[in-house]
Amino acid sequence: MPTLQGKVAVVTGSGSGIGQAIAERLAQEGANCVVDYRDHVEQAQATADKITAAGGKAILVHADVSVLSDCSNLIEQAWQQLGSCDILVNNAGVEKGADFWDVTEADYDFVLNVNLKGAFFLTQAFVRKLRDAKKPGRVINISSVHEDMVFPHFSTYCASKGAMRMLMRDLAVELGPLGITVNNIAPGAVDTPINTSLLANKPKLDALLANIPLGRLAKPEEIAGLAAFLASDDAAYVTGSTYVIDGGLMRNYHEQ
Ligand code: BGC
């Protein structure tokens, strides 16, 4: 039997990249999914088609995760239309490069509101419903190696991901008694739209690849495999941890 049969998952930012791969994989494991999108309904529809092809049910819900009422509506729709909400994958994420001295308030709000505020309040909405229903649950945050590793010129991104690490640790303790586990996945460089400009810049890409012991970017499906594990019964005792999946990038400092 598929490991997630009968479970319902909300995967934010599931119209593309890592989120799309996770939604598809969770569906292959038996879950029904809420596909959320902010701007591109056609991309979300493509994800829903993949879920249906994998044998799952999918619903599309528009949500900007930086808006609190959208967060509660996303969880509400899962319960109303799919009967539950057992797994939350906080995947929606953005980054904006700028020298620290040039970062504007708008850049700061854009990155922090999606990456941190969104994950914070969506998790709150998710937990409130589970607490009322007395059901267990799984929170999986898609963080980054940059929850721990510097990324010069991406101070807003690092601030958001570092905060996500502490949020995960804190919530693992606070939500453990409710039977809700909380973990982070920290990918390195993944072949997704967030890296479009990097992929188009050969010298930059080559410099990055030289730092990755496995010599390549990750495929979104590889991140999805880890998410499927963390959502499964096999991970029932796992909480409060970050799982790094980076081809060895974080461990690679060496003297030439
Ligand atoms: C960022 C990418 C970056 C990668 C490795 C990811 O979190 O989104 O832009 O290439 O980390 O540094």
Side-chain angles (χ1 to χ4, degrees), residues 7-24:
K7 303 279 190 223
V8 175
V10 168
V11 184
T12 63
S14 41
S16 69
I18 295 173
Q20 184 176 65
I22 291 177
E24 186 181 2

Side-chain angles (χ1 to χ4, degrees), residues 127 167-180 182 239:
V127 166
L167 179 64
M168 171 277 289
R169 291 178 179 179
D170 204 60
L171 295 188
V173 174
E174 197 170 337
L175 304 181
L178 302 183
I180 299 172
V182 191
T239 196

